[in-house]
Amino acid sequence: MQRRPCFTQDEVDKHHRSYLVSVWNPLMAGPYTPTTIDEYLRKRLMPVEGAIPHLQGIEMYGSSIPVGAVGGDLFEYINFQQRYDIDARIQRALKRSKEYLEPRPTDAAPHNSVDDHVEWLKSRPGYKPEMETEYRDARSSEQVRVAEDLRELYSTAGVLVVDAQGHGIISAKIASTVHDTFHALMLSELDHRGKTTAELFQRINLRLVLSVTARNALGRSEKESAQEIATMLYGEVRPYGHFRFVNFGHPPPLVFSAEYRKFMDIGKSGMVQFLPLGLQIAEDDPDRNRYFSLELRQRRANSSDVAELTLMSPGDILFLYTDGVYDGSDKEERQQLENVMRDHYVLSAKDICNALLEYAVKKDDHLRQINEQDRIDDKTVFIIRRN
């Protein structure tokens, strides 16, 4: 007589799953609940206070409030000293500068990219020994410059502000795409340049341009009327308030003067701005015929497209924001923000930030009262205050 198994296969599988949960989650009280995609993106896009950089003569703080569970605003501190091992990167660059000068022993395999290129040079007609020497000298000095530029990061902090059109999980996904692309390209920039350059932002822009083959992760098509786009502002702060930044369609920064207790007028010549990410590519881009573009920009982004602002006096404040706080154009709204700033400018950067966000949230209550909830948007405020 055949005996019946003690457990069915379903019972065995259920017991196995329960065992794995108890092993990998020994401190869990109650059933395991996986993180939802909106919870994941909300945590991913929110700033981490422990990453706030500390620069001489500068205090900074930022925060975001999404409309719903998750929004399309992204704000992040770029704390170079915390995120990257600057000492190790400098030592690697200096080591490479010496290695690149060393001729490769006969019959030895190439040790680095310089050896590999020299091997190719030797295979070309008209090769002369001095060509190897000149090339090795050039690549060696390039690494010396990388080391010098890396040292600047000890006294530099970055800030990334992204505002994807709309709000909700799709907007959050777009903002997350910009975030991931930015950090992947930053690694390459520090490896090869030792600093951020305009090329990094040109490549981020290209990542969001609509592909003619629809291979773009945003999944747009030429016939769609709606555009899924994002604005971006990335800037780097130096001690005592020097701020260099690139702007892709983002509302321009405001500078509050502690002496005059008002926002200062900034000439447009110092506020270079591109269209939002994904809308425009350069006419000299080799892949320009593989993407849709509203119009072709005459040239690729370069160092002349980086704007600069300086906080001149102690107490001066640089105010960055997304259009859920202010769209950068309404004069009456600017005056209201100036009043809030005037009432709080002597406080900490965190208190100023919270006061501005509180004001913006109160505006939402008014929009609800007049049945214009569709105008409510995600909110981000970032304050840089010179001490």
Side-chain angles (χ1 to χ4, degrees):
M1 181 177 180
Q2 188 175 10
R3 297 181 62 184
R4 180 182 180 276
C6 295
F7 300 100
T8 66
Q9 186 61 49
D10 286 344
E11 290 172 328
V12 171
D13 292 342
K14 182 178 180 181
H15 177 75
H16 182 61
R17 287 194 298 270
S18 177
Y19 169 74
L20 289 177
V21 168
S22 67
V23 171
W24 294 105
N25 301 277
L27 300 180
M28 287 184 61
Y32 168 70
T33 303
T35 301
T36 62
I37 184 63
D38 55 342
E39 291 172 336
Y40 168 78
L41 288 172
R42 182 176 67 250
K43 293 178 181 179
R44 184 174 180 80
L45 301 181
M46 289 296 288
V48 178
E49 190 164 343
I52 299 177
H54 298 284
L55 297 181
Q56 188 174 16
I58 290 295
E59 181 189 9
M60 63 184 74
Y61 187 84
S63 188
S64 294
I65 300 177
V67 171
V70 65
D73 279 11
L74 179 153
F75 163 73
E76 185 176 19
Y77 306 101
I78 311 300
N79 188 330
F80 288 103
Q81 293 192 57
Q82 186 183 81
R83 179 177 283 271
Y84 308 102
D85 191 334
I86 300 175
D87 287 340
R89 286 181 168 273
I90 290 173
Q91 293 305 313
R92 183 177 65 175
L94 294 176
K95 181 181 179 181
R96 284 176 173 174
S97 71
K98 295 178 181 178
E99 290 177 347
Y100 289 171
L101 292 174
E102 298 174 0
R104 180 171 60 90
T106 305
D107 299 329
H111 292 162
N112 49 55
S113 61
V114 173
D115 288 346
D116 183 68
H117 187 72
V118 168
E119 188 70 14
W120 176 82
L121 281 175
K122 291 180 177 179
S123 69
R124 306 295 295 170
Y127 168 76
K128 299 177 182 179
E130 55 266 28
M131 295 171 64
E132 176 180 353
T133 302
E134 292 171 356
Y135 179 71
R136 289 188 178 278
D137 285 344
R139 290 295 304 276
S140 174
S141 64
E142 181 182 69
Q143 289 300 304
V144 173
R145 182 178 180 181
V146 167
E148 290 179 356
D149 287 334
L150 284 168
R151 290 189 180 95
E152 296 292 323
L153 299 183
Y154 288 120
S155 57
T156 301
V159 57
L160 176 66
V161 183
V162 177
D163 183 3
Q165 186 180 57
H167 44 265
I169 197 166
I170 298 299
S171 298
K173 173 59 178 69
I174 298 170
S176 182
T177 296
V178 176
H179 171 272
D180 291 348
T181 305
F182 172 85
H183 282 291
L185 293 173
M186 178 65 83
L187 288 171
S188 177
E189 286 282 270
L190 297 186
D191 283 346
H192 298 96
R193 306 291 184 85
K195 60 182 178 182
T196 55
T197 67
E199 283 190 23
L200 182 152
F201 307 104
Q202 185 64 38
R203 289 169 179 165
I204 293 176
N205 177 62
L206 193 63
R207 173 64 183 86
L208 292 190
V209 178
L210 177 58
S211 166
V212 297
T213 60
R215 67 178 182 270
N216 193 299
L218 300 182
R220 299 175 296 185
S221 68
E222 184 181 14
K223 296 181 180 180
E224 288 181 344
S225 59
Q227 291 280 348
E228 291 175 317
I229 59 178
T231 66
M232 180 189 73
L233 188 148
Y234 172 77
E236 291 183 348
V237 191
R238 301 296 304 279
Y240 301 109
H242 183 65
F243 186 66
R244 301 179 70 249
F245 64 97
V246 292
N247 188 343
F248 283 83
H250 204 79
L254 292 173
V255 175
F256 183 86
S257 168
E259 179 181 358
Y260 297 102
R261 300 186 183 183
K262 67 177 184 178
F263 290 129
M264 303 304 293
D265 291 328
I266 304 171
K268 292 183 178 180
S269 60
M271 304 290 278
V272 183
Q273 187 177 59
F274 296 109
L275 292 180
L277 293 171
L279 294 183
Q280 186 183 54
I281 60 177
E283 63 181 5
D284 62 347
D285 191 291
D287 294 324
R288 64 187 179 279
N289 294 326
R290 298 294 183 264
Y291 295 94
F292 296 112
S293 178
L294 290 181
E295 60 183 62
L296 294 177
R297 191 166 59 245
Q298 290 187 351
R299 55 177 174 75
R300 297 169 65 86
N302 58 44
S303 58
S304 67
D305 298 313
V306 178
E308 298 188 15
L309 293 171
T310 301
L311 301 179
M312 302 300 294
S313 305
D316 286 355
I317 296 167
L318 181 65
F319 172 31
L320 307 181
Y321 50 91
T322 55
D323 57 10
V325 176
Y326 175 49
D327 66 6
S329 62
D330 189 288
K331 292 183 178 180
E332 183 177 347
E333 188 61 41
R334 173 178 162 134
Q335 183 62 55
Q336 294 299 321
L337 289 168
E338 186 174 88
N339 292 340
V340 175
M341 190 73 80
R342 186 180 296 117
D343 291 340
H344 298 85
Y345 77 99
V346 297
L347 303 180
S348 68
K350 182 175 182 178
D351 288 339
I352 297 170
C353 173
N354 290 337
L356 290 164
L357 284 173
E358 182 180 353
Y359 166 77
V361 170
K362 287 181 179 178
K363 283 199 311 175
D364 292 350
D365 295 335
H366 175 68
L367 292 174
R368 294 186 184 95
Q369 291 173 3
I370 61 176
N371 295 319
E372 294 188 8
Q373 295 92 330
D374 58 324
R375 292 173 54 192
I376 298 174
D377 203 353
D378 307 313
K379 299 162 186 59
T380 294
V381 169
F382 178 67
I383 296 295
I384 300 173
R385 186 177 185 275
R386 178 172 174 179
N387 293 330

